[in-house]
Amino acid sequence: TDEYLKSIGDGDYPVLVLNGTDCANDQLTIAPSTAGCGASTIVIPGQDTPQIWTYAFEDNTLKGDYDMNDVVLKVSYVDATTKSQLRINLVAAGCEFDNNVYLNDEPIMFTAPDGTQTSEVHEAFGVSKGVLVNTGARGVTAQVVTAIVDTPAEFDFQTANFSVVPSGGDSKGQHIRIATSGYPCGIVVPIDWAYPIERKGICDAYATEDGFYSYFAEWAKSADHSVNSDWYNQPRNGYVMK
């Protein structure tokens, strides 16, 4: 409480970490639980810690391994007050196809390690075509690459029109977009999400520890996506990137 923090004197206050985010005491809302002893906490992002949204794609829509790490973007406002620009971080490329990244059907131009501008994910990471990047297996580790773009008019993270266009497979040349029904090959997650490692399908990665029940699969199958709506907070040990 504030009174406790005052009582410990000057200096740094304790820092609470929720979902990997440092939270000051004035960034938390505490709500009593009606189910008994306990409480819930809601992080209120401050100006210096804007909320991060994750957009993840499977680029081979019929024959893929469905690990949803072929292209992974982490997106936030550059400044949560003005909301005038987006910071788009390309964090993973678990794909063997070339994949170009788009927002509203306009290519997102990342700055590659050699300074060139490109929307293709392997070129952006500065690796050879077909190399897997930041997926925990069968590939390499590379620094995240970033694009800063002006926020589109009427932009909303939940409905943002991010997409990827692969060069091969059954989806060759087609935009793979964020889906709104069925088993999606493009998803938006409202947190800094721990995506599956290579060859660990998302249905297995977000499931009970014995793998018998998949939180993700049941969410995806529900007609209005109301079942397990917090599936992304229930990763299976050893199946996701930390």
Side-chain angles (χ1 to χ4, degrees), residues 18-89:
L18 292 176
N19 293 332
T21 301
D22 293 351
C23 304
N25 66 300
D26 61 355
Q27 293 177 298
L28 297 175
T29 294
I30 307 299
S33 170
T34 58
C37 181
S40 62
T41 58
I42 303 171
V43 178
I44 304 174
Q47 181 173 343
D48 296 332
T49 56
Q51 182 177 354
I52 296 173
W53 291 67
T54 304
Y55 301 83
F57 299 89
E58 173 67 36
D59 69 359
N60 204 347
T61 55
L62 292 181
K63 303 173 184 176
D65 52 16
Y66 210 46
D67 52 20
M68 298 300 293
N69 66 22
D70 291 340
V71 177
V72 181
L73 308 173
K74 301 289 182 82
V75 184
S76 64
Y77 286 121
V78 173
D79 186 316
T81 301
T82 65
K83 300 181 180 179
S84 61
Q85 291 183 307
L86 299 174
R87 175 179 289 106
I88 303 172
N89 286 335

Side-chain angles (χ1 to χ4, degrees), residues 33-241:
S33 170
T34 58
C37 181
S40 62
T41 58
I42 303 171
V43 178
I44 304 174
Q47 181 173 343
D48 296 332
T49 56
Q51 182 177 354
I52 296 173
W53 291 67
T54 304
Y55 301 83
F57 299 89
E58 173 67 36
D59 69 359
N60 204 347
T61 55
L62 292 181
K63 303 173 184 176
D65 52 16
Y66 210 46
D67 52 20
M68 298 300 293
N69 66 22
D70 291 340
V71 177
V72 181
L73 308 173
K74 301 289 182 82
V75 184
S76 64
Y77 286 121
V78 173
D79 186 316
T81 301
T82 65
K83 300 181 180 179
S84 61
Q85 291 183 307
L86 299 174
R87 175 179 289 106
I88 303 172
N89 286 335
L90 173 63
V91 300
C95 51
E96 296 182 356
F97 301 140
D98 297 352
N99 274 284
N100 290 276
V101 186
Y102 293 81
L103 173 59
N104 293 340
D105 294 347
E106 293 293 328
I108 299 172
M109 304 305 289
F110 298 98
T111 302
D114 64 2
T116 59
Q117 298 286 300
T118 180
S119 64
E120 201 286 311
V121 294
H122 297 101
E123 292 176 353
F125 278 121
V127 300
S128 300
K129 300 298 178 67
V131 173
L132 309 185
V133 183
N134 296 340
T135 61
R138 298 182 59 235
V140 301
T141 300
Q143 292 291 321
V144 168
V145 291
T146 301
I148 304 295
V149 303
D150 291 338
T151 304
E154 300 181 358
F155 178 81
D156 183 271
F157 283 99
Q158 185 70 54
T159 59
N161 188 21
F162 286 99
S163 64
V164 299
V165 176
S167 64
D170 55 276
S171 304
K172 180 178 179 180
Q174 300 178 16
H175 284 269
I176 298 173
R177 304 184 189 277
I178 304 301
T180 57
S181 63
Y183 279 91
C185 285
I187 60 173
V188 53
V189 187
I191 60 172
D192 187 4
W193 181 55
Y195 55 90
I197 62 177
E198 185 63 23
R199 299 297 185 187
K200 298 295 186 183
I202 190 172
C203 294
D204 293 325
Y206 280 83
T208 53
E209 288 302 312
D210 60 8
F212 181 75
Y213 180 87
S214 172
Y215 302 115
F216 175 85
E218 295 304 315
W219 168 80
K221 287 192 299 184
S222 63
D224 59 358
H225 285 176
S226 61
V227 177
N228 298 332
S229 58
D230 65 340
W231 64 267
Y232 47 81
N233 285 322
Q234 302 181 74
R236 189 175 174 188
N237 289 328
Y239 279 67
V240 301
M241 293 291 290

